[in-house]
Amino acid sequence: MQVTTYDLKKISEKLGLSLKDINKAFKKKILREGEYRDTRTLLFKKNFKHIEKGTVIFLNENLDIVRGYPKTYRALTLYPTIKKHFIDKVVIEEKLNGYNTRIVKIDNEIYALTRSGYICPFTTKKAKKLLNLEILDDYPNYMLCGEMIGLNNPYTPYYYEEVDKGYENLGFYIFDIKERETNKSLPIRDRIELCEKYNLPYVKPLAIVNKEKADIYIKEIIKELDKKGREGVVLKDPDMDVPPLKYTTHYTQCEDLKSAFTFFFDLGVDFIFSRIVREGFMSFEFRESIEERKQRAKDLGESILLPMIETIEKVARGERVSEDFELIFDSEEDLEEFLEFMRKMKMVIKIKNVKKINTDEGLKIKVLIGKIYNKTNDKIISYLNGTLWE
Amino acid sequence: MQVTTYDLKKISEKLGLSLKDINKAFKKKILREGEYRDTRTLLFKKNFKHIEKGTVIFLNENLDIVRGYPKTYRALTLYPTIKKHFIDKVVIEEKLNGYNTRIVKIDNEIYALTRSGYICPFTTKKAKKLLNLEILDDYPNYMLCGEMIGLNNPYTPYYYEEVDKGYENLGFYIFDIKERETNKSLPIRDRIELCEKYNLPYVKPLAIVNKEKADIYIKEIIKELDKKGREGVVLKDPDMDVPPLKYTTHYTQCEDLKSAFTFFFDLGVDFIFSRIVREGFMSFEFRESIEERKQRAKDLGESILLPMIETIEKVARGERVSEDFELIFDSEEDLEEFLEFMRKMKMVIKIKNVKKINTDEGLKIKVLIGKIYNKTNDKIISYLNGTLWE
């Protein structure tokens, strides 16, 4: 790899890393080259020193940096975790179940980055369409951090009523505005003010509470969100002076398990333990009766076992199981570019259906894409054929 | 470590390993020194080339070898696995839920080895008491391989009606007789004949069936064993010409999960996925109705969640959770020797109660020992105190 064609010294200064560290990051393949059309980037594949995974350096004159969105830690218990973590007030926001996106404008171009730091052509185009991004002309040093949600997305296809526009279920909600080179967040009030000013959709606080009793409020909110089949909450300091925390519903734990166990040999192992531990601590903290616990256990058991058996049955019938999602593109070129991107991401995909649709915004292409989980398919076939289990 | 005081060349010849391999095994800490009273041994901590984990070399004049008990692979599906694996007939034996033990006589001394290859003082003494071991005088090259079962054992304390003698629940059943230096098994008929001749308890075949239809028989047997709360079956070639296979009941999968999730931060992660996969394939192969699947899912969910919540509650109340077992010793010295052995095994244990009991075999000592799972205790405390989850 040619690492000499750009100014490593300047990069190192901008990132606050020594040249030795930069070279180490290259050598350990933590820092890798990337590209999107004519744009070349460097990308942190992992956390390294104080630099977040997903941090991107644009290899332009400026060497513009877009820092990775930091991991949001989880409260396993509401009490005393919130009380210990926060300063005084806690802003409760709903956590949306989509994919984390950073939108930036660099060299007069809009880019939408996935959490891992890839410039996603699908997301970039949708962001431009969904949002009025003038804000980035006035504040080119900001990144708009938000959740892309809705059934018609390639990463977390999950239906949301509020973003339904008939032929497409997709929307974007800003939950954080940060300085893209320092990763410093605006205070929540300032973020909301800016979003209002530029008419941008944002996640609205559900409540602002005192940290001492926050657990009691949040418990009730979580119960409500659970009933409505929503993901959970993110808890924030009003000034963003301490990192946010997340907490999710029973419903989400079950949904996670259902998706993971549909492709259990690919996703099961990594997903299961953490979901179960969350359920255990929640049931304990919510002081559930034995009947409530049994109901929770039943939901858990069914979320794991039923999708697994269904998948085994499908494979036994000769099907190959895939995770399907339907995307809407403006043109064949857009579709092609996205498929090329998926292949570069090493996803094994299969086009299952393509159709032209008429919308109020003109003719579009609706494509059903299947993401293939090879390990699940192959291993099930092998065990059904008599391979022994260790 | 002094590895020059015994004849490595002879060991290498006896094991069929090159001297270079032996040295590599030492260097990689696969081959380690061990001792039991005045007996010094070498022990394979892992499978290495064709030598099984748990293989022990006695450092006497002969350099007697006791090969490790080979891993028994699992059938995830009965059909077509059995049909593919076996030659013609299949002997179905019940699988007992205790711990694998090899009994040998070397230099006129009886030794009982655990699966990992440790000479266990508890097991050695109980073996001598429970069994008439004349057979090893006549066949010093054999090892008696069997399951030590019952509530009063330190490894897999699990009640078995058939080994109850009032003050102690413990017994030993031979399921295999092997040449200890070659690991060659006797044909099942010869093993049974020898056991009968020497009046030794052995696992009796439940049935001998043709491999073509074995799955149908075994399904019925498994359903019966499941109802009775028994572990499962081991399937064998009558002449032991192919390795045995195992298959376990739904009951066992649930019991495994219950124990593992009582100490979930220590055992949960490793246990859960495999148990769930077994359940998935079983439910599929048994062509269960949706109601049966839901019942299975409920059992699974409860086996995971309920013990976990109970443990969290206990720790929250200030208890330290431990896995308790009650053992019966003949003397204080025996107890001391065993405790020393457990400490050497790096188990964290706590004596919870000691009492003298009168038995028809005289005065004995009944000791309640708790095995402490530090990770589970410490992590729960930490999360209850507000530590964030990754």
Side-chain angles (χ1 to χ4, degrees):
Chain A
M1 188 176 48
Q2 279 292 99
V3 296
T4 46
T5 53
Y6 31 86
D7 188 345
L8 281 185
K9 193 152 164 290
K10 189 168 170 195
I11 291 175
S12 116
E13 273 161 22
K14 287 191 81 169
L15 290 172
L17 287 171
S18 68
L19 257 177
K20 201 177 147 200
D21 279 337
I22 293 272
N23 281 316
K24 186 177 171 192
F26 272 120
K27 214 174 139 193
K28 300 262 180 195
K29 299 195 169 165
I30 292 167
L31 192 52
R32 306 276 286 266
E33 291 193 327
E35 56 178 349
Y36 168 78
R37 297 181 179 180
D38 296 335
T39 306
R40 290 170 61 225
T41 61
L42 291 178
L43 165 60
F44 280 85
K45 304 279 287 179
K46 288 184 182 182
N47 287 332
F48 181 74
K49 309 274 171 180
H50 61 284
I51 301 300
E52 302 80 6
K53 174 182 170 182
T55 294
V56 171
I57 303 130
F58 282 75
L59 296 174
N60 56 8
E61 194 126 353
N62 261 344
L63 294 171
D64 280 296
I65 290 167
V66 181
R67 293 277 288 269
Y69 199 81
K71 179 179 179 55
T72 304
Y73 285 86
R74 175 179 294 277
L76 207 47
T77 50
L78 295 168
Y79 183 89
T81 314
I82 294 166
K83 193 173 158 215
K84 282 198 165 176
H85 183 80
F86 288 99
I87 300 168
D88 39 28
K89 298 280 182 201
V90 181
V91 180
I92 307 168
E93 287 180 4
E94 185 179 348
K95 184 175 191 324
L96 297 172
N97 192 11
Y99 62 101
N100 182 297
T101 302
R102 287 163 285 154
I103 301 171
V104 294
K105 189 164 196 174
I106 284 168
D107 294 337
N108 221 27
E109 270 296 328
I110 293 291
Y111 299 97
L113 281 66
T114 65
R115 186 109 193 208
S116 321
Y118 293 100
I119 300 166
C120 169
F122 173 86
T123 314
T124 298
K125 269 160 209 155
K126 296 296 179 183
K128 286 200 242 176
K129 196 146 240 168
L130 289 165
L131 309 169
N132 174 357
L133 294 167
E134 269 174 48
I135 183 173
L136 293 175
D137 296 325
D138 300 341
Y139 301 94
N141 58 325
Y142 283 176
M143 55 182 174
L144 309 178
C145 308
E147 200 82 354
M148 188 70 90
I149 60 169
L151 198 59
N152 300 123
N153 87 61
Y155 306 114
T156 313
Y158 195 83
Y159 182 81
Y160 272 94
E161 208 179 5
E162 57 264 51
V163 295
D164 206 80
K165 54 174 187 280
Y167 69 91
E168 187 175 39
N169 186 256
L170 191 73
F172 185 78
Y173 289 90
I174 293 170
F175 53 64
D176 203 355
I177 296 180
K178 282 170 169 280
E179 291 175 10
R180 60 173 168 74
E181 302 230 335
T182 65
N183 231 339
K184 195 174 174 320
S185 291
L186 295 190
I188 292 177
R189 175 195 304 239
D190 299 356
R191 184 240 301 168
I192 292 177
E193 237 169 56
L194 270 185
C195 287
E196 295 277 359
K197 182 175 162 199
Y198 288 92
N199 199 24
L200 288 163
Y202 62 92
V203 177
K204 291 178 186 62
L206 297 172
I208 302 174
V209 297
N210 204 301
K211 70 166 185 169
E212 305 291 335
K213 298 217 160 165
D215 61 302
I216 298 166
Y217 287 97
I218 294 164
K219 212 175 285 181
E220 291 314 309
I221 290 173
I222 282 290
K223 281 180 189 168
E224 273 310 302
L225 292 173
D226 184 53
K227 269 187 220 153
K228 291 185 197 153
R230 311 279 294 199
E231 194 187 9
V233 294
V234 180
L235 311 172
K236 296 177 175 172
D237 177 68
D239 294 332
M240 297 296 275
D241 285 339
V242 295
L245 294 186
K246 62 187 172 190
Y247 190 82
T248 52
T249 58
H250 167 63
Y251 176 83
T252 292
Q253 266 89 261
C254 290
E255 287 299 306
D256 283 1
L257 288 172
K258 279 181 205 166
S259 347
F261 274 84
T262 304
F263 310 101
F264 58 100
F265 281 123
D266 289 270
L267 307 175
V269 159
D270 293 338
F271 266 72
I272 190 166
F273 187 66
S274 57
R275 286 358 182 244
I276 285 170
V277 170
R278 292 177 203 167
E279 288 288 287
F281 278 90
M282 183 184 275
S283 177
F284 164 77
E285 186 169 17
F286 285 29
R287 295 167 194 273
E288 289 187 329
S289 67
I290 185 67
E291 285 70 35
E292 288 169 318
R293 285 183 194 180
K294 284 191 173 172
Q295 181 59 46
R296 190 180 285 274
K298 180 174 171 285
D299 295 345
L300 261 189
E302 290 185 2
S303 305
I304 295 166
L305 197 65
L306 302 187
M308 169 182 265
I309 302 172
E310 251 181 66
T311 294
I312 299 174
E313 280 181 330
K314 277 188 192 162
V315 174
R317 280 200 302 268
E319 283 182 45
R320 275 189 88 74
V321 291
S322 63
E323 185 176 43
D324 296 345
F325 48 89
E326 212 163 29
L327 303 181
I328 285 90
F329 295 94
D330 285 346
S331 66
E332 293 279 354
E333 295 75 52
D334 284 2
L335 167 59
E336 275 316 313
E337 186 182 17
F338 178 68
L339 293 178
E340 188 49 40
F341 173 71
M342 294 239 104
R343 284 184 208 109
K344 235 170 49 190
M345 297 295 91
K346 307 235 162 70
M347 282 194 213
V348 187
I349 52 169
K350 199 185 151 186
I351 306 292
K352 300 190 135 186
N353 195 26
V354 181
K355 62 182 174 203
K356 298 229 157 89
I357 56 168
N358 264 310
T359 75
D360 45 8
E361 290 174 40
L363 207 66
K364 308 253 177 189
I365 307 167
K366 194 166 197 165
V367 187
L368 183 64
I369 299 175
K371 187 173 165 197
I372 307 282
Y373 286 97
N374 277 327
K375 211 166 144 188
T376 297
N377 282 291
D378 297 348
K379 281 201 167 192
I380 292 175
I381 290 172
S382 150
Y383 289 122
L384 289 177
N385 284 332
T387 295
L388 300 178
W389 179 268
E390 291 261 332
Chain B
M1 188 175 46
Q2 280 292 100
V3 295
T4 46
T5 52
Y6 32 85
D7 187 346
L8 281 185
K9 194 152 165 288
K10 189 168 168 195
I11 291 176
S12 115
E13 275 161 21
K14 288 192 80 170
L15 290 172
L17 288 172
S18 68
L19 257 175
K20 201 178 146 199
D21 279 336
I22 293 272
N23 281 316
K24 186 178 172 191
F26 272 120
K27 213 174 139 191
K28 299 263 180 193
K29 297 195 172 165
I30 292 167
L31 191 51
R32 305 275 286 264
E33 291 193 327
E35 57 177 346
Y36 169 77
R37 296 183 180 179
D38 296 336
T39 304
R40 291 170 59 226
T41 61
L42 290 179
L43 164 61
F44 279 85
K45 303 279 286 178
K46 289 184 181 181
N47 287 332
F48 182 73
K49 310 274 172 180
H50 61 284
I51 302 299
E52 302 81 5
K53 173 182 169 182
T55 294
V56 171
I57 303 130
F58 282 75
L59 296 174
N60 57 8
E61 194 126 353
N62 261 343
L63 295 171
D64 279 297
I65 289 168
V66 181
R67 292 278 288 270
Y69 199 81
K71 179 178 180 55
T72 304
Y73 284 87
R74 174 179 298 274
L76 208 48
T77 50
L78 294 168
Y79 182 88
T81 315
I82 294 166
K83 192 172 160 226
K84 281 199 166 174
H85 183 79
F86 288 100
I87 301 169
D88 40 27
K89 298 280 182 199
V90 181
V91 180
I92 307 168
E93 286 180 6
E94 186 180 347
K95 185 177 192 322
L96 298 171
N97 192 11
Y99 61 101
N100 181 297
T101 302
R102 287 162 286 155
I103 301 171
V104 294
K105 189 164 195 173
I106 284 166
D107 295 337
N108 221 28
E109 270 294 331
I110 294 291
Y111 298 98
L113 281 69
T114 65
R115 186 109 193 209
S116 321
Y118 293 100
I119 299 166
C120 169
F122 173 86
T123 314
T124 299
K125 269 162 208 155
K126 296 296 179 184
K128 286 200 244 178
K129 197 146 240 167
L130 290 166
L131 308 170
N132 173 356
L133 294 167
E134 269 172 46
I135 184 175
L136 294 174
D137 296 326
D138 301 340
Y139 301 95
N141 58 326
Y142 283 177
M143 55 182 176
L144 309 178
C145 308
E147 199 82 354
M148 187 71 89
I149 59 167
L151 198 59
N152 300 123
N153 87 61
Y155 306 113
T156 313
Y158 197 81
Y159 182 82
Y160 272 94
E161 209 179 6
E162 57 265 51
V163 295
D164 206 79
K165 53 174 189 280
Y167 70 91
E168 187 175 39
N169 186 257
L170 191 72
F172 185 78
Y173 288 90
I174 293 170
F175 54 64
D176 203 354
I177 297 180
K178 282 170 168 279
E179 291 175 10
R180 60 173 168 75
E181 302 230 333
T182 66
N183 231 341
K184 194 174 174 316
S185 291
L186 296 190
I188 292 177
R189 177 195 303 240
D190 298 355
R191 184 240 300 169
I192 292 177
E193 238 169 55
L194 268 185
C195 286
E196 294 279 359
K197 182 177 162 197
Y198 288 93
N199 199 23
L200 288 163
Y202 62 93
V203 177
K204 291 178 187 60
L206 297 172
I208 302 174
V209 297
N210 203 300
K211 71 167 186 171
E212 306 291 335
K213 297 218 159 161
D215 61 301
I216 298 166
Y217 287 97
I218 294 163
K219 213 175 281 180
E220 292 314 310
I221 290 172
I222 282 290
K223 282 180 187 168
E224 273 310 301
L225 291 173
D226 184 53
K227 270 187 218 151
K228 290 185 194 153
R230 311 278 296 199
E231 195 189 10
V233 293
V234 180
L235 311 173
K236 296 176 176 172
D237 177 67
D239 294 331
M240 298 296 275
D241 285 339
V242 295
L245 294 184
K246 62 187 172 190
Y247 191 83
T248 52
T249 58
H250 167 63
Y251 177 83
T252 292
Q253 265 89 261
C254 290
E255 287 298 306
D256 283 2
L257 288 172
K258 280 181 203 165
S259 343
F261 274 83
T262 305
F263 310 102
F264 57 100
F265 280 123
D266 288 88
L267 307 175
V269 160
D270 293 339
F271 266 72
I272 190 164
F273 186 66
S274 57
R275 290 348 185 250
I276 285 170
V277 171
R278 292 178 204 167
E279 288 288 288
F281 278 90
M282 182 184 275
S283 177
F284 164 76
E285 186 169 19
F286 284 29
R287 295 167 193 274
E288 288 187 330
S289 67
I290 184 68
E291 285 70 34
E292 287 168 319
R293 286 184 193 180
K294 284 192 172 171
Q295 181 60 45
R296 191 181 284 275
K298 181 175 172 284
D299 295 346
L300 260 189
E302 291 186 1
S303 303
I304 295 167
L305 197 65
L306 303 186
M308 169 182 265
I309 302 172
E310 252 181 66
T311 294
I312 298 174
E313 281 182 329
K314 276 188 193 162
V315 174
R317 281 200 303 268
E319 283 182 46
R320 273 188 91 72
V321 291
S322 63
E323 186 176 42
D324 296 345
F325 48 90
E326 211 163 30
L327 304 181
I328 286 92
F329 295 94
D330 284 346
S331 66
E332 293 279 356
E333 295 74 50
D334 285 2
L335 166 59
E336 275 315 314
E337 187 183 15
F338 177 69
L339 293 178
E340 187 50 38
F341 173 73
M342 294 238 104
R343 283 183 209 113
K344 234 169 51 188
M345 298 295 92
K346 307 239 162 70
M347 283 194 211
V348 186
I349 52 169
K350 197 185 153 187
I351 306 293
K352 300 191 136 187
N353 194 27
V354 181
K355 65 181 171 202
K356 297 230 160 89
I357 55 167
N358 265 311
T359 75
D360 45 9
E361 291 174 41
L363 208 66
K364 307 253 177 188
I365 306 167
K366 193 165 197 166
V367 187
L368 183 66
I369 299 174
K371 187 172 164 196
I372 307 285
Y373 286 97
N374 276 328
K375 212 166 144 188
T376 298
N377 282 290
D378 297 349
K379 281 202 166 188
I380 293 175
I381 290 172
S382 150
Y383 289 122
L384 289 177
N385 284 332
T387 294
L388 300 178
W389 177 268
E390 289 261 333

